Amino acid sequence: MLYLHPYYRPGAQISLNLRSCADDRTERNVQVTVVKAFTPFTMSQVLLVNINLPVPDILPAGSTSFVLKVYDPRFLQHRKGTKSSAPHPWTLAAETTAARRRAFGADTFLPTWWPDESDTAGWEQYYFANLQHLFTTELAAYTRLLPLQGKSIPLCHAQGTLVLPTPATRMVVPRVLLLSYVPGPNLRAVNPARVAPAVGRALVDTVRAFGALGVIHDDLRPDNILLSPTHDEPSRAFVLDFGNAQLRAEHGNEEWEGALAENDEPKLVELMLDKLGIRHRV
């Protein structure tokens, strides 16, 4: 597990500058208290937080618990190293050099290659660009999928930035999303006999609707699907994590239809449910 920074620990106070996902013209400073971190962090850092009163007017009245996703490249799991890449721990010096390169217009594209192992600033740019892409893709996907928010995907309440603790020396201001909290087990943790076929069928229909609304999830797996509200009698499936999504704007119409057919995510979900023993035929 990666080192858990003090501002991600339970009880920590975090300050956010947020704008509504529906209307990004009004920014509010919002204070939250960390309830727990959903570890291990892989890409974004995912936290359950409570909004400190008073709840700002850009959030629903009466709601205090939310999921906060922070897109901070400092805490990527990949930094620990892989079978084909050495560890690349965060340093302020490398982050500063990468930011200075960006200020001069260098390395502003999304890298699709790994930098040289000795290029510490190159790795910082690689991580930074990927986290920025992850954030913008996930926000765009939630916007496309607005008709499904609160029904089969979480509500996207607000987006903005993390206010770093003072004195702030970082050269990166992490982006954040504030989403509705969906309680319940993931698809792998539920008792298949407790899931009604209609719930499984609705999940397949949800994924089919993604394509019609211009989104291919591209990371469908049991960990990214929650069944709510309880282990005993879940009544609804929610799909999470759209950072890897493909969006229709990236393709022409013919190319998009080809991408939908190639991925065939409704069929993928049916096969996943069959493997887990969850009924979906009604």
Side-chain angles (χ1 to χ4, degrees):
M1 182 185 300
L2 286 176
Y3 167 70
L4 195 59
H5 193 281
Y7 57 69
Y8 291 146
R9 295 174 186 170
Q13 303 294 303
I14 295 180
S15 180
L16 309 167
N17 287 329
L18 295 179
R19 301 181 181 206
S20 169
C21 286
D23 178 5
D24 64 2
R25 291 174 296 179
T26 304
E27 185 173 87
R28 296 284 187 272
N29 182 260
V30 179
Q31 309 298 316
V32 305
T33 301
V34 177
V35 177
K36 68 175 179 179
F38 296 100
T39 54
F41 297 147
T42 52
M43 297 297 286
S44 59
Q45 301 86 58
V46 186
L47 312 167
L48 177 63
V49 300
N50 285 336
I51 303 295
N52 296 354
L53 297 177
V55 177
D57 56 2
I58 62 171
L59 298 177
S63 298
T64 56
S65 294
F66 297 86
V67 167
L68 177 66
K69 298 190 73 170
V70 184
Y71 301 81
D72 189 342
R74 179 176 177 178
F75 301 105
L76 288 173
Q77 188 179 50
H78 189 275
R79 288 186 180 277
K80 297 173 66 176
T82 68
K83 292 181 179 179
S84 53
S85 173
H88 298 283
W90 175 88
T91 67
L92 179 60
E95 183 176 275
T96 301
T97 300
R100 287 172 177 167
R101 290 180 183 177
R102 289 195 297 274
F104 285 98
D107 298 325
T108 56
F109 58 91
L110 176 65
T112 57
W113 39 263
W114 284 358
D116 293 338
E117 292 294 347
S118 60
D119 185 6
T120 56
W123 278 100
E124 288 306 319
Q125 173 58 25
Y126 176 83
Y127 291 137
F128 169 81
N130 275 276
L131 263 291
Q132 290 293 98
H133 179 74
L134 191 77
F135 167 80
T136 56
T137 299
E138 187 145 24
L139 179 59
Y142 272 107
T143 301
R144 296 286 187 91
L145 301 176
L146 182 61
L148 303 180
Q149 288 191 31
K151 302 173 184 176
S152 51
I153 68 171
L155 285 159
C156 184
H157 290 292
Q159 56 96 2
T161 56
L162 176 71
V163 179
L164 295 167
T166 55
T169 56
R170 295 281 305 277
M171 301 300 292
V172 169
V173 179
R175 306 300 297 270
V176 302
L177 285 179
L178 194 70
L179 307 171
S180 60
Y181 172 52
V182 179
N186 68 42
L187 206 58
R188 200 190 309 277
V190 74
N191 181 348
R194 297 288 188 178
V195 184
V199 176
R201 190 72 243 162
L203 173 60
V204 176
D205 292 341
T206 289
V207 173
R208 183 171 290 107
F210 291 169
L213 292 168
V215 175
I216 296 172
H217 187 282
D218 211 21
D219 192 22
L220 288 170
R221 48 193 172 88
D223 292 344
N224 284 339
I225 301 170
L226 298 182
L227 293 175
S228 186
T230 66
H231 284 78
D232 293 334
E233 292 186 23
S235 59
R236 193 180 303 179
F238 284 81
V239 182
L240 315 176
D241 293 340
F242 292 88
N244 291 322
Q246 299 180 46
L247 305 176
R248 186 167 187 165
E250 301 168 358
H251 305 274
N253 288 337
E254 185 174 341
E255 186 182 1
W256 177 251
E257 293 302 322
L260 287 176
E262 181 180 356
N263 286 272
D264 198 0
E265 291 196 319
K267 183 62 175 180
L268 175 64
V269 171
E270 289 183 338
L271 294 173
M272 186 190 308
L273 293 173
D274 286 339
K275 184 175 182 179
L276 294 171
I278 297 175
R279 298 164 295 165
H280 57 87
R281 295 174 178 86
V282 294

